[in-house]
Amino acid sequence: MRAVIVCVSVSHGNTRRVAEVMGQVLGAAVVEPEQIDPADLATYDLVGFGSGVFNMNLHPRLRRFVRSLPEGQRHKAFVFTSSGFPEPPFRRYLRAFARLVGSKGFEVVGSFSCRGLDTWAPFKPFGGVKKGRPDVADFAAAQRFAEGLRARLTATA
């Protein structure tokens, strides 16, 4: 199974570290949107898309990249985030992003989210929230998530 993870991680590197854990399990390179030609995604069996959360949404660079993809993709995908707070019920940004990915023809086979250090404006003077996250338990959860994806996808191949 060929896999790649497209990731935007700009504040503290939290999402990148989570992506690298998943990438080790999946044998996937972790790249930024500008580092991969959208046409090259057709050569992968599984594509991961992830970023930190900014203003209750995934990073604009990642959303623009997905919007730029041609429709009719026939591959499996997963989505993931790291954020200081859980996704609120009134703003399901991970689901909305999964729908965007799905609108391009990808079959979204899973999603993952964990907490990460957040130093957004009101929290910055106090050193942020979720200090020390993601932590060992978060990385272990990301690893289990990726192992589950790998097991499901290789069993159906």
Side-chain angles (χ1 to χ4, degrees), residues 97-148:
F97 184 70
R99 279 194 303 273
L100 174 62
V101 170
S103 75
K104 296 301 181 169
F106 287 95
E107 177 188 351
V108 179
V109 295
S111 65
F112 178 83
S113 182
C114 71
R115 301 292 68 82
L117 173 62
D118 186 345
T119 54
W120 182 61
F123 307 115
K124 193 170 191 154
F126 307 103
V129 296
K130 301 302 178 205
K131 296 174 189 169
R133 302 284 299 272
D135 59 17
V136 172
D138 296 314
F139 294 130
Q143 181 177 352
R144 285 190 305 275
F145 170 77
E147 288 168 346

Side-chain angles (χ1 to χ4, degrees), residues 2-8 16 27-50 61-62 64-70 73 75-76 106:
R2 283 186 38 114
V4 67
I5 299 173
V6 182
C7 174
V8 176
R16 176 78 185 209
V30 178
V31 299
E32 295 192 19
E34 300 80 14
Q35 294 175 309
I36 190 164
D37 183 333
D40 290 344
L41 294 184
T43 66
Y44 293 95
D45 305 304
L46 177 65
V47 181
F49 296 99
R61 283 175 38 218
L62 186 64
R64 274 193 306 271
F65 177 76
V66 172
R67 278 194 221 96
S68 77
L69 296 174
Q73 300 288 325
H75 314 293
K76 298 190 183 322
F106 287 95

Side-chain angles (χ1 to χ4, degrees), residues 6 8 15 49-64 66-67 78-82 87 91-98 100-101 112:
V6 182
V8 176
T15 310
F49 296 99
S51 82
V53 175
F54 299 85
N55 297 318
M56 294 186 152
N57 216 331
L58 276 76
H59 197 280
R61 283 175 38 218
L62 186 64
R63 293 192 330 264
R64 274 193 306 271
V66 172
R67 278 194 221 96
F78 66 94
V79 296
F80 66 99
T81 64
S82 67
E87 184 177 58
R91 177 84 164 128
R92 296 293 189 187
Y93 48 79
L94 194 54
R95 283 188 200 165
F97 184 70
L100 174 62
V101 170
F112 178 83

